[in-house]
Amino acid sequence: MRKLYKSNTDIKICGVCGGIGEYLNIDPTLIRLIFIVLAFTQVGILAYIIAALVIPRETY
């Protein structure tokens, strides 16, 4: 069973997009672009902040 974690290796701000990309097995750049597009509606900024607070950091 896979779990969603913030990435420790693919970090730009908090590692949220890297973690979501690893979880969905897609390029994190696509996730970042989606958040940028959503940021124009303020939904992306709020979603990113909530995800950064809720998603745990990956442990080894």
Side-chain angles (χ1 to χ4, degrees):
M1 186 164 135
R2 296 184 313 172
K3 291 190 175 185
L4 178 61
Y5 293 106
K6 289 189 273 186
S7 177
N8 285 330
T9 57
D10 193 8
I11 299 174
K12 297 297 181 195
I13 298 176
C14 290
V16 172
C17 295
I20 293 172
E22 290 173 8
Y23 181 77
L24 297 175
N25 201 22
I26 59 173
D27 187 16
T29 305
L30 295 174
I31 304 298
R32 290 182 182 107
L33 289 173
I34 291 169
F35 272 112
I36 289 170
V37 169
L38 290 176
F40 290 114
T41 64
Q42 304 295 324
V43 174
I45 297 170
L46 182 62
Y48 192 90
I49 292 170
I50 291 171
L53 294 173
V54 173
I55 298 173
R57 177 70 57 192
E58 183 179 28
T59 57
Y60 294 104

